[in-house]
Amino acid sequence: MNSALLRRIETASDGLRELAYNLWWTWNPRAQDIFHTLSERKWRSSNHNAVAVLQAISRDELRARLSEKEFLERVEDILQEFDDYMRKDDTWYHAHIDGHEDKCVAYFSAEFGLHECLPVYSGGLGILAGDHTKSASDLGVPFIGISLFYRNGYFQQSIGPDGWQNESYPLLNPASLPLELVTDEAGNPIVASVEIGHARVSFHAYRVKVGRAVLYLLDTNRPENDLHHREITARVYGGDSTTRVMQEIVIGIGGVRFLRQLDMHPWVYHMNEGHSAFLTLELLRERLAAGTTREHAEQWVRQHCVFTTHTPVPAGHDRFSADLLDHMFGSFRDTLGLTQHEVMAYGREHPADAEEPFCMTVLALRMSRAANGVSELHGRVSREMWMELFGATSPDEVPIGHITNGVHILGWMAYRTRQFWHKHLGEKWIYYLKKQAIWSQVSDPDLIPDSDLWALRYGLRRDFIEYVRRMLRHQASHAHAEYATLQDSILNPDVLTIGFARRFATYKRAPLFFRDFNRIAELINNEDRPVQLVFAGKAHPRDDEGKRFIQQIVGFTKNPALFGKVVYLENYDINVARHMISGVDVWLNTPRRPMEASGTSGMKILIHGGLNLSIQDGWWREGYDGSNGWSIGGDEHAEDAAVQDERDAQALYTLLEYELIPAFYERDEFGLPRKWLQRVRRSMETLIPVFNTDRMVSEYVLKYYDMTR
């Protein structure tokens, strides 16, 4: 081996280790393929963890593998692509906010859903935060994320023989994850602390690199802390209200303090939901300690804070009693120099009401200069909800706007789909996701023939069904033994496939599809136009009603009339979601309106040629135009839940029976469903350039962050 080749191998080896610790690879399939090639077994068993793969490969083996010319060139190509991405200086941010690169955004969220190998998220709020982070990186926005390191994650779900959800909490080992302990120059962990009750609770942090963006995960699992304080950051939304308020003290107050330890002073503090709203009190404390008057201190905090609310019902907002907050805030309140009543007033709609609990959303709204809901309808609902807080006589007077959520398209794209778009739009299309002109080309059958589009859908459906069969074989080992021997007869690649996957909160109404069982059984078993369904999702560990919904769905999968045609996939996570959103033909969404603030799952299917079948709630109310999917009911809802459920179920059945199913099976002489594909094209053309996080993040920068001030 000559010295030049040896240098190339050493450079590539070092580069791979650097790449493994930057989650940029999670939205680059060519980079993922490198790690998959190194060890297929470890790649799968680690839930696609690049760091775990490299740790399983000795340096000698890695050198030997890299000495193979073709593989070395593949690695060098991807490392060059990574380097070009990290060094790119003609980003969207540079073009629109030129001269303000020194101003950064601190984005606080109780969860970040970045990848399945880092399970520190529970659901949609975290997925949204993760997608926000990735697009901030793509756009070149100076971005810092703040959250907690949950060493037991959310939970791993398994379904027992009786259909009941069981939870387990395996321990995450930070040493084998794509994160690094934040240390000083001497290699010692940087430690900060917060006051909780009469104790001082210390924490360190792990740094997660997400392209150009950086995320800090705070962790109280330190030897100097009492055991119950070490457990604060153990689980996502774990424990009771006492644990919740302690977590929120750490993420809000602790998050600001850790930034100061790093000598970071962000231009804007973005609170993604109210969990981190205590950060406003820490910013207030800093200004007061510097000698600023309380009035000017409050004004400064408002100028630098923005708030996004995701909760359309009053019961969903965190509220804490005066006694609990007084106990937890005793020492911190003394540093503020405020009385208990003065602190409580920040979180009360009616500050003089001594019986009213402290609401985190109220605190965030009081101390932010701008606030928004996550869809147009949710913005309207939020304005109605908080009229009293702002002393408004009309919702129009309430200063809450909206920025509709999106998804990070590249991060949710199947490799087959990415190759399809590279072929038809050229490789530069990934830089213009929100350009309408790019997606208007989709309507041109000369550019993208119906046969190619239908071949894509067939390939994705086949990939998904084979994935489902592998998953069900695994599930059969502890619950559904009947699937083990009938694996290859589960689902059919020729059949219309509908997907339903989300958190099993009761308002999402997972069992609505089966409200009229006999009618649905007839549709599913129609010999000429059959239908099959795949369900997935977790219920909160303390939500027994949601668990009963799962139990109902699992029961339907075992019904002889539906067996093999309706399946439930356990342990829903980002990986399961990625397979579902690419493989199903139709994404079903049935929330009880207007309780779906936005929703993003249905946005993820667009790039794959899937269609939405949804209640007009959240984003779909804005996206639906009559020709790009289907609306279950209209732009209204009955106030009575029972009436709404019955109307929505009947509307769903009518759409399926008379519009959706016939459109899928109506074929021409070439076997192509032309009308269906026309609707797919319309969906792509009208929805992809709008419902993505590139558009969403750019709106936050231009409308809310005020970076040029």
Side-chain angles (χ1 to χ4, degrees):
M1 184 181 297
N2 61 51
S3 58
L5 178 58
L6 184 60
R7 284 195 299 271
R8 287 176 62 193
I9 290 173
E10 290 298 326
T11 300
S13 176
D14 293 340
L16 276 180
R17 295 184 186 280
E18 180 182 354
L19 175 60
Y21 282 93
N22 191 310
L23 291 179
W24 174 82
W25 58 260
T26 66
W27 67 97
N28 189 299
R30 291 176 60 240
Q32 294 166 40
D33 193 51
I34 295 293
F35 299 106
H36 176 269
T37 299
L38 285 170
S39 175
E40 180 178 355
R41 186 202 64 80
K42 192 63 178 180
W43 177 251
R44 293 187 185 279
S45 66
S46 66
N47 218 1
H48 315 122
N49 179 354
V51 169
V53 168
L54 285 189
Q55 289 179 343
I57 303 284
S58 70
R59 195 163 189 89
D60 286 343
E61 180 185 350
L62 186 57
R63 285 174 176 168
R65 301 287 293 276
L66 289 169
S67 66
E68 196 272 311
K69 179 183 178 183
E70 183 181 24
F71 184 64
L72 176 60
E73 289 175 348
R74 282 172 56 198
V75 171
E76 289 176 331
D77 284 348
I78 204 65
L79 291 177
Q80 185 61 56
E81 185 178 345
F82 175 54
D83 187 65
D84 291 344
Y85 176 91
M86 296 298 290
R87 294 174 180 272
K88 185 178 172 66
D89 58 8
D90 58 340
T91 64
W92 175 90
Y93 186 83
H94 281 79
H96 290 80
I97 315 292
D98 187 41
H100 297 276
E101 291 79 4
D102 58 324
K103 295 179 179 178
C104 70
V105 177
Y107 184 90
F108 287 66
S109 180
E111 48 175 309
F112 279 79
L114 293 161
H115 189 257
E116 58 266 22
C117 74
L118 192 60
V120 291
Y121 61 93
S122 71
L125 182 73
I127 299 300
L128 184 280
D131 282 13
H132 188 124
T133 306
K134 293 169 186 175
S135 272
S137 171
D138 290 344
L139 296 175
V141 179
F143 183 95
I144 303 166
I146 299 289
S147 191
L148 303 179
F149 177 69
Y150 305 101
R151 63 182 179 277
N152 293 122
Y154 188 41
F155 67 89
Q156 298 292 299
Q157 178 202 51
S158 63
I159 305 299
D162 60 352
W164 194 253
Q165 171 182 289
N166 300 305
E167 301 95 25
S168 62
Y169 294 86
L171 182 67
L172 298 178
N173 179 9
S176 62
L177 294 173
L179 45 79
E180 301 166 301
L181 183 67
V182 182
T183 62
D184 59 21
E185 292 182 357
N188 301 310
I190 293 177
V191 179
S193 64
V194 292
E195 302 86 7
I196 296 180
H198 298 292
R200 181 168 291 276
V201 178
S202 300
F203 59 91
H204 54 255
Y206 297 99
R207 180 188 296 107
V208 183
K209 298 175 183 177
V210 189
R212 298 181 185 88
V214 177
L215 170 63
Y216 294 102
L217 302 179
L218 314 182
D219 185 5
T220 62
N221 186 25
R222 295 194 53 77
E224 63 265 36
N225 291 333
D226 292 338
L227 179 61
H228 67 286
H229 288 144
R230 295 177 67 171
E231 293 297 304
I232 291 174
T233 56
R235 298 179 180 179
V236 182
Y237 306 134
D240 55 13
S241 59
T242 300
T243 303
R244 177 66 68 89
V245 74
M246 290 193 293
Q247 287 185 337
E248 297 184 354
I249 288 172
V250 173
I251 190 175
I253 297 173
V256 173
R257 291 184 181 179
F258 195 80
L259 289 174
R260 299 298 183 260
Q261 288 278 72
L262 302 178
D263 195 26
M264 292 183 177
H265 299 268
W267 178 251
V268 61
Y269 298 80
H270 185 168
M271 294 169 279
N272 187 43
E273 195 53 281
H275 308 112
S276 59
F278 287 142
L279 73 85
T280 63
L281 298 183
E282 172 63 10
L283 294 175
L284 182 69
R285 185 197 65 79
E286 288 182 334
R287 307 307 294 178
L288 293 174
T292 307
T293 66
R294 184 174 167 188
E295 179 182 358
H296 285 100
E298 290 178 354
Q299 185 180 37
W300 187 94
V301 173
R302 291 189 186 100
Q303 286 176 343
H304 290 82
C305 291
V306 299
F307 171 58
T308 298
T309 176
H310 294 256
T311 308
V313 292
H317 299 268
D318 282 350
R319 288 179 166 85
F320 304 116
S321 70
D323 288 344
L324 176 61
L325 206 63
D326 185 48
H327 172 67
M328 292 295 175
F329 258 19
S331 299
F332 177 74
R333 191 184 65 239
D334 293 341
T335 65
L336 273 171
L338 302 177
T339 67
Q340 179 192 12
H341 174 76
E342 288 173 322
V343 172
M344 289 295 295
Y346 283 111
R348 285 172 169 161
E349 288 188 72
H350 309 95
D353 183 356
E355 301 301 315
E356 183 181 336
F358 186 98
C359 177
M360 297 296 284
T361 301
V362 172
L363 172 63
L365 289 169
R366 281 194 191 281
M367 300 297 281
S368 297
R369 64 174 168 78
N372 68 282
V374 289
S375 70
E376 192 280 330
L377 180 59
H378 178 233
R380 183 199 309 171
V381 169
S382 297
R383 287 190 291 275
E384 293 172 352
M385 187 187 308
W386 299 111
M387 283 177 59
E388 282 193 55
L389 174 63
F390 291 96
T393 58
S394 156
D396 294 338
E397 300 172 6
V398 176
I400 298 177
H402 82 274
I403 291 180
T404 302
N405 284 344
V407 297
H408 184 253
I409 291 175
L410 297 180
W412 291 103
M413 195 179 313
Y415 194 17
R416 184 187 294 273
T417 304
R418 191 164 179 141
Q419 291 175 310
F420 177 88
W421 292 115
H422 277 347
K423 172 184 175 182
H424 291 288
L425 297 180
E427 295 200 3
K428 294 293 186 182
W429 72 272
I430 62 174
Y431 302 111
Y432 306 106
L433 291 172
K434 57 191 180 73
K435 291 285 189 181
Q436 183 67 55
I438 292 291
W439 298 106
S440 63
Q441 301 177 67
V442 173
S443 61
D444 183 356
D446 292 327
L447 179 64
I448 305 175
D450 278 348
S451 56
D452 286 12
L453 196 53
W454 192 230
L456 171 68
R457 286 300 318 139
Y458 246 107
L460 291 170
R461 196 183 310 116
R462 164 62 73 175
D463 292 344
F464 174 55
I465 288 173
E466 294 189 354
Y467 169 79
V468 170
R469 290 170 178 173
R470 291 195 303 271
M471 288 284 289
L472 291 177
R473 181 170 57 185
H474 171 72
Q475 291 177 204
S477 65
H478 60 81
H480 302 289
E482 60 269 31
Y483 284 125
T485 57
L486 299 174
Q487 178 185 346
D488 288 342
S489 64
I490 302 299
L491 304 181
N492 183 337
D494 294 316
V495 172
L496 171 64
T497 306
I498 299 176
F500 181 103
R502 53 190 38 83
R503 185 166 53 91
F504 262 65
T506 52
Y507 79 86
K508 295 178 183 286
R509 301 187 297 181
L512 185 72
F513 190 89
F514 298 101
R515 190 176 179 90
D516 186 338
F517 179 82
N518 291 332
R519 188 172 180 184
I520 281 301
E522 288 181 8
L523 290 176
I524 288 174
N525 291 294
N526 186 297
E527 289 187 8
D528 298 320
R529 303 184 310 186
V531 179
Q532 56 196 14
L533 292 96
V534 180
F535 287 84
K538 296 178 177 179
H540 188 280
R542 293 193 298 273
D543 182 6
D544 282 353
E545 193 60 34
K547 292 181 182 181
R548 277 188 278 273
F549 275 16
I550 291 176
Q551 192 174 43
Q552 288 181 43
I553 299 299
V554 173
F556 288 128
T557 70
K558 297 180 177 182
N559 188 295
L562 307 180
F563 183 77
K565 301 168 185 176
V566 177
V567 301
Y568 178 87
L569 298 179
E570 64 186 24
N571 207 30
Y572 185 50
D573 67 357
I574 289 176
N575 184 45
V576 175
R578 191 182 297 112
H579 283 87
M580 287 193 68
I581 54 98
S582 62
V584 300
D585 301 293
V586 173
W587 196 259
L588 177 64
N589 190 28
T590 54
R592 184 175 290 125
R593 180 184 151 123
M595 298 178 71
E596 183 92 300
S598 175
T600 60
S601 56
M603 302 176 189
K604 302 178 181 86
I605 70 167
L606 307 173
I607 196 71
H608 302 99
L611 293 169
N612 278 276
L613 170 63
S614 177
I615 299 292
Q616 279 203 44
D617 199 6
W619 80 278
W620 188 236
R621 178 179 170 274
E622 300 166 45
Y624 176 66
D625 71 358
S627 63
N628 57 3
W630 291 272
S631 167
I632 304 170
D635 190 13
E636 72 284 323
H637 60 274
E639 294 300 325
D640 183 275
V643 172
Q644 187 178 160
D645 290 353
E646 180 60 22
R647 287 180 181 174
D648 290 344
Q650 294 306 317
L652 171 60
Y653 299 149
T654 299
L655 275 173
L656 286 170
E657 188 168 358
Y658 297 106
E659 292 188 37
L660 193 152
I661 296 174
F664 183 84
Y665 286 105
E666 183 181 330
R667 311 289 169 86
D668 66 8
E669 66 271 24
F670 301 104
L672 296 172
R674 300 287 186 180
K675 291 182 180 179
W676 182 273
L677 293 174
Q678 184 178 0
R679 196 174 289 257
V680 168
R681 292 179 188 277
R682 181 65 181 168
S683 170
M684 292 175 168
E685 179 183 0
T686 59
L687 301 175
I688 290 174
V690 178
F691 296 100
N692 64 76
T693 42
D694 280 11
R695 183 272 310 160
M696 183 193 80
V697 172
S698 67
E699 286 192 11
Y700 276 115
V701 171
L702 297 175
K703 297 181 180 180
Y704 281 77
Y705 293 167
D706 196 18
M707 305 295 275
T708 58
R709 175 163 53 88

